[in-house]
């Protein structure tokens, strides 16, 4: 059974930090593009960050410079370090994995999501 399980969400004040983790099981994702989507009420789901098999990374313009994505293939885990958080970062964050080695936008696997709330 393939599973992605997110953790690390919570409530923080603006300017604070959170670290999200996504633990994958059921298969190796070393060759997959992995990363994070988020969705806020009334807004479309968007890609936040992605990390490829080569460890190259991509970020949404809204988070570039504040968020850092990384992966540990030995642990089958992907992380999202979120710094300088803003109220507009409030959303449910979803871990995702795509068999496509360079693109995350059509994931093959999804986590259940973790709530991130940034208070002003």
């Amino acid at each position: 059974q393939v599973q992605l399980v997110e953790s690390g969400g919570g409530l923080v004040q603006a300017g604070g930090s959170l670290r999200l983790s996504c633990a994958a099981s059921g298969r190796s994702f070393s060759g997959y593009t992995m990363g994070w989507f988020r969705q806020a009420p009334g807004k479309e789901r968007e890609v936040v960050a992605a990390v490829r098999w080569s460890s190259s990374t991509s970020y949404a313009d809204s988070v570039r410079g504040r968020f850092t994505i990384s992966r540990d293939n030995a642990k089958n885990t992907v992380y999202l370090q979120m710094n300088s958080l803003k109220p507009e970062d409030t959303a449910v964050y979803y871990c995702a994995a795509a068999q496509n080695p360079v693109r995350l936008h059509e994931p093959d696997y999804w986590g259940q999501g973790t709530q991130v709330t940034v208070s002003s």
Side-chain angles (χ1 to χ4, degrees):
Q1 183 80 356
V2 175
Q3 192 172 25
L4 304 178
V5 180
E6 302 99 332
S7 62
L11 173 65
V12 298
Q13 293 186 340
S17 298
L18 284 174
R19 188 194 193 207
L20 305 183
S21 298
C22 173
S25 61
R27 64 158 297 133
S28 173
F29 288 88
S30 61
Y32 283 60
T33 302
M34 300 190 70
W36 298 86
F37 287 76
R38 69 184 181 186
Q39 187 167 31
K43 297 184 179 180
E44 295 183 355
R45 184 172 295 182
E46 63 174 342
V47 178
V48 177
V51 57
R52 302 172 182 86
W53 62 270
S54 63
S55 295
S56 67
T57 57
S58 299
Y59 297 94
D61 289 343
S62 59
V63 308
R64 188 174 294 109
R66 300 187 297 119
F67 291 10
T68 302
I69 189 170
S70 61
R71 67 193 296 169
D72 185 336
N73 287 333
K75 296 181 178 179
N76 227 16
T77 300
V78 63
Y79 306 94
L80 186 68
Q81 179 67 45
M82 305 186 294
N83 298 327
S84 301
L85 283 161
K86 304 175 180 179
E88 51 262 45
D89 295 318
T90 296
V92 178
Y93 284 70
Y94 298 90
C95 182
Q99 192 171 11
N100 188 306
V102 297
R103 186 174 174 86
L104 182 64
H105 290 70
E106 297 180 354
D108 297 286
Y109 302 99
W110 290 90
Q112 293 300 119
T114 185
Q115 177 71 46
V116 171
T117 302
V118 184
S119 64
S120 59

